[in-house]
Amino acid sequence: MDTPAPSRRPVTDDESRRASRGWWDLDADDYQAEHGAFLGDADFVWCPEGLREADAHLLGDVRGRRVLELGAGAAAAARWLDGQGAEVTAMDLSAGMLRQAVAGASRSGVRVPLVQADALALPFADSVFDIVCTAFGAIPFVADSAAAMLEVARVLRPGGSWVFSITHPMRWIFWDEPDESGLVARNSYFDRRPYVETDDEGRPTYVEQHRTLGDRIRELVAAGFVLRDLIEPEWPAGHEQVWGQWSPLRGRLFPGTAIFVADLPGPHPTTGPRH
């Protein structure tokens, strides 16, 4: 029997949650085998363009700061942050990805607390983190990303920062092909229905959400954030690696990643250890 064709249609929070947990549980080993060398065991790579936090400094000085990596996957970024002196917690919905995080900790010798939880119900008290961050985690995979922004705001201290990277919204105009066929505009930028893959019974097995740039900014503002920067990494010279839809051909013509840097109003958290 042929696999059902992907579609664009609304899904519920529960459908998104089940699809994401199931997909990443099953795909964790293959994903790490394909991308683990690029991501490293203790490195913070924001995007397939290869922008690293060590160069970008989007989080500022993290020494002594309490940091939550949301949708951490194998938690390479959390381990890098630990090495910079941060007090880090790594959280993911998928047990399969957290199993990869345990393996990465064994290889690197760097261990951070791991939490399995849903981005729409963060299991933390109010105002406990100075920074929440994610590289392509959580936000593209929840049906109600506005609610996820509110949850992030809840667990951040006043003056805290929320920095996240996602597929650049304009990429939804094109098919996810790294070659010339991925240069033709075929879809409406304004169609917010998610991309959905299903099993033979019609149950979603993979769900990815689309919002426009304006939608994302409005979500942030509604949650109380002030947008400080929007980074659109350019494709670097000499970078020839293809990662899914990301390729030198497409990357040199239009952005593939958007990184939002936002703050909650209030005094900047004090640097230094807490007792």
Side-chain angles (χ1 to χ4, degrees):
M1 183 179 294
D2 294 334
T3 302
S7 63
R8 302 286 295 275
R9 65 175 178 84
V11 295
T12 67
D13 282 336
D14 284 343
E15 286 177 318
S16 285
R17 187 178 299 108
R18 286 195 297 268
S20 292
R21 182 185 289 117
W23 176 272
W24 292 108
D25 281 352
L26 291 173
D27 194 57
D29 293 349
D30 290 342
Y31 182 88
Q32 195 65 17
E34 184 175 359
H35 302 300
F38 182 82
L39 296 172
D41 279 333
D43 199 0
F44 197 143
V45 184
W46 279 108
C47 52
E49 290 86 351
L51 181 68
R52 282 168 162 75
E53 176 59 16
D55 301 315
H57 307 293
L58 302 182
L59 304 182
D61 185 358
V62 300
R63 287 175 296 175
R65 301 286 173 80
R66 294 194 68 183
V67 182
L68 172 64
E69 186 188 6
L70 191 65
R79 289 189 291 274
W80 182 86
L81 288 164
D82 178 88
Q84 306 305 304
E87 183 182 338
V88 192
T89 300
M91 193 198 95
D92 203 278
L93 179 67
S94 165
M97 292 307 299
L98 292 175
R99 176 169 43 78
Q100 288 294 335
V102 171
S106 296
R107 289 191 298 269
S108 66
V110 179
R111 288 172 170 79
V112 300
L114 303 176
V115 176
Q116 185 179 13
D118 179 7
L120 296 178
L122 299 179
F124 308 106
D126 297 352
S127 304
V128 292
F129 293 103
D130 301 310
I131 299 168
V132 180
C133 58
T134 185
F136 283 79
I139 297 302
F141 303 108
V142 296
D144 192 351
S145 50
M149 302 285 182
L150 287 168
E151 271 293 89
V152 171
R154 180 184 65 78
V155 303
L156 273 173
R157 292 188 172 98
S161 298
W162 166 222
V163 186
F164 63 96
S165 62
I166 58 172
T167 300
H168 198 290
M170 76 165 291
R171 283 286 176 111
W172 284 74
I173 300 170
F174 308 98
W175 285 353
D176 283 351
E177 301 296 339
D179 57 19
E180 287 82 359
S181 65
L183 301 179
V184 180
R186 304 174 190 270
N187 307 313
S188 169
Y189 177 73
F190 302 105
D191 183 357
R192 274 85 163 179
R193 293 176 302 168
Y195 170 90
V196 182
E197 296 178 7
T198 61
D199 60 19
D200 293 339
E201 283 73 44
R203 292 184 295 255
T205 57
Y206 180 88
V207 177
E208 190 168 346
Q209 302 284 339
H210 168 57
R211 302 290 184 272
T212 68
L213 282 172
D215 292 338
R216 292 296 182 207
I217 292 170
R218 284 185 287 275
E219 289 177 345
L220 286 166
V221 172
F225 289 101
V226 175
L227 183 66
R228 176 160 38 102
D229 205 351
L230 173 58
I231 313 297
E232 299 167 294
E234 297 187 35
W235 194 268
H239 180 24
E240 298 301 320
Q241 183 171 340
V242 173
W243 179 326
Q245 57 157 302
W246 283 267
S247 66
L249 174 66
R250 283 158 59 96
R252 290 166 188 153
L253 295 174
F254 47 82
T257 298
I259 309 175
F260 294 80
V261 184
D263 303 308
L264 276 183
H268 201 272
T270 302
T271 303
R274 292 182 175 80
H275 303 286

